[in-house]
Amino acid sequence: MVKNIVEFNHVSVTFQQNHKDVHAVSDVSFGIPTGQIFGIAGYSGAGKSTLVRTINLLQQPTAGRISVLGEIFFDADDAKHPAIGAKKLRQQRRKIGMVFQHYNLLNEKTVIQNVEFALKHSDLKAKEVTQKAAELLEDVGLSKLAKYYPAQLSGGQQQRVAIARALANDPQILISDEATSALDPENTNQILDLLQELNQKYQLTVILITHEMEAIKRICDQVVIMDSGKVVDSGSLLDVFVKSENPVTHRIVGNDFDAKAILNSLQIDWSNRKLVQLIYYSGQISEPIIVELYSRFNVAANIVYADIEEFKQQLVGTMIVELNGNEAQTQQALDYLQQLDIETTELRGAAV
């Protein structure tokens, strides 16, 4: 099994518009690990969908190299063979399923017929096609609706049919391109949870393209943040949402852990105050940290701001506190917090 199921190396996509070059994707390099749920996030127009369409060459890059499933799909530096052959590409595309915001179902066909349609070029016999379609509908929780038509289904149910259809040829990669954007919050969470179940059941690599940060936080293992065609940040959810100091990232993902932005929004005059940001994880959330600082070190901690976020079942909390005590006591308190694996950042003197 290849370590990275997809690798982008200095990939660019440039369009001509009104006699001007439009750089939809600019010099992008990163890998997508096999078996992960990998998020590509950013505002509309950031270049997310354009980049991902280069994976199966639905969009031809103008520069760089793309490897998929351990094979080079595109290499701009190879003048003789810049792209994989058409026959081989058709074969490899069957290993890449795609679901979109719009379900693209065949309205005149039943739910099971929509799934069977994706198998029309397979080597399966008619009975085997029907059996496999039925199994896929069971995977997505729609067995009882097999004979319904798309118009009789809710948006969430239609998206489940689209997912079942995308899985028909046993893909190794499933690309979800804004697949939850048209759904209400409840259906969005159900679809995201389904993608996570499929990822675990089939060791399926899921590429989640979205502008919805809550979707990324709910199921992704890693994420890249795109802006204006470029990757501006990447890493684990904690690296990007909690620890990143990139102002573009903060603008896109929110400022729940950005102390500077938080204090600006609170309009606090803190020039002569001892402020510290604490970041703590699931194990410490139920601990009486503030009480302990006073009882152990006689340091009073006034809570200025506190919040708890969940990142793929891991709780992460942040707190900005004003510490009141003498210098030695305060330092002892900070050392104690670090011993508890609570990350501390002193904010005194930082510009806002």
Side-chain angles (χ1 to χ4, degrees):
M1 181 181 292
V2 292
K3 180 180 179 182
N4 286 333
I5 201 164
V6 177
E7 289 188 354
F8 299 104
N9 291 281
H10 303 290
V11 172
S12 295
V13 178
T14 302
F15 299 113
Q16 281 285 323
Q17 190 174 54
N18 298 325
H19 306 290
K20 293 182 179 179
D21 288 340
V22 177
H23 301 287
V25 176
S26 300
D27 195 26
V28 166
S29 297
F30 66 87
I32 297 177
T34 301
Q36 283 200 1
I37 302 180
F38 192 96
I40 300 178
Y43 294 137
S44 297
K48 309 183 300 295
S49 295
T50 300
L51 175 67
V52 171
R53 283 169 61 86
T54 67
I55 291 175
N56 50 18
L57 298 187
L58 291 175
Q59 173 63 57
Q60 192 87 352
T62 50
R65 187 178 70 216
I66 299 169
S67 299
V68 184
L69 300 163
E71 186 166 354
I72 296 175
F73 270 32
F74 180 86
D75 188 348
D77 292 333
D78 188 341
K80 291 184 178 180
H81 304 286
I84 189 173
K87 182 178 179 180
K88 185 69 172 178
L89 178 60
R90 284 195 299 272
Q91 294 172 344
Q92 294 294 71
R93 278 177 173 170
R94 297 180 66 181
K95 301 176 184 178
I96 305 170
M98 297 188 75
V99 289
F100 305 92
Q101 176 180 350
H102 304 293
Y103 322 118
N104 300 324
L105 301 181
L106 301 170
N107 292 324
E108 71 280 5
K109 293 185 179 294
T110 64
V111 164
I112 195 166
Q113 287 172 341
N114 267 275
V115 181
E116 289 172 343
F117 185 77
L119 291 163
K120 69 177 184 176
H121 296 303
S122 73
D123 296 328
L124 299 177
K125 297 178 181 179
K127 283 187 177 180
E128 293 172 328
V129 166
T130 300
Q131 181 180 348
K132 182 161 188 177
E135 291 171 354
L136 290 167
L137 289 178
E138 185 175 355
D139 278 344
V140 300
L142 290 182
S143 292
K144 295 181 180 180
L145 303 181
K147 295 184 179 180
Y148 281 52
Y149 287 87
Q152 297 174 280
L153 306 181
S154 69
Q157 290 168 336
Q158 290 188 60
Q159 192 59 281
R160 287 173 181 267
V161 179
I163 291 171
R165 184 182 58 191
L167 296 175
N169 290 296
D170 303 315
Q172 297 179 41
I173 300 170
L174 179 65
I175 297 171
S176 170
D177 190 354
E178 298 284 5
T180 61
S181 296
L183 303 179
D184 60 57
E186 182 178 359
N187 275 301
T188 291
N189 288 338
Q190 290 176 356
I191 292 298
L192 293 172
D193 291 345
L194 174 61
L195 293 176
Q196 191 168 31
E197 291 169 13
L198 295 170
N199 160 257
Q200 294 170 353
K201 182 175 182 178
Y202 294 114
Q203 299 301 301
L204 183 68
T205 301
V206 178
I207 303 173
L208 185 70
I209 309 164
T210 184
H211 66 277
E212 299 172 320
M213 297 304 132
E214 292 303 316
I216 296 290
K217 290 193 285 187
R218 189 176 183 90
I219 66 169
C220 287
D221 299 294
Q222 293 190 63
V223 59
V224 299
I225 304 297
M226 291 191 68
D227 186 54
S228 301
K230 299 178 180 180
V231 171
V232 296
D233 216 334
S234 64
S236 70
L237 298 188
L238 297 184
D239 288 337
V240 173
F241 283 85
V242 177
K243 299 178 181 179
S244 176
E245 297 181 359
N246 188 321
V248 179
T249 300
H250 292 169
R251 174 170 56 83
I252 294 172
V253 308
N255 65 357
D256 292 332
F257 292 86
D258 182 353
K260 178 179 175 180
I262 292 166
L263 291 169
N264 273 329
S265 68
L266 296 174
Q267 299 181 337
I268 291 175
D269 179 10
W270 56 308
S271 54
N272 296 311
R273 302 168 70 174
K274 177 75 169 181
L275 293 179
V276 176
Q277 182 181 30
L278 314 180
I279 295 177
Y280 47 98
Y281 303 94
S282 299
Q284 298 100 9
I285 282 176
S286 60
E287 297 296 320
I289 298 168
I290 301 302
V291 174
E292 287 289 307
L293 295 184
Y294 186 78
S295 63
R296 286 173 178 263
F297 310 106
N298 200 30
V299 173
N302 174 37
I303 300 175
V304 176
Y305 172 88
D307 187 34
I308 295 176
E309 291 284 328
E310 185 174 3
F311 300 96
K312 200 172 182 181
Q313 289 85 53
Q314 180 179 10
L315 295 176
V316 182
T318 186
M319 190 182 298
I320 297 176
V321 296
E322 178 187 8
L323 299 181
N324 293 293
N326 65 43
E327 188 171 341
Q329 292 168 328
T330 301
Q331 187 58 54
Q332 288 177 332
L334 291 174
D335 292 341
Y336 170 71
L337 291 172
Q338 290 171 2
Q339 290 171 13
L340 296 177
D341 291 327
I342 295 172
E343 298 178 24
T344 64
T345 302
E346 296 188 51
L347 303 175
R348 175 185 284 178
V352 294

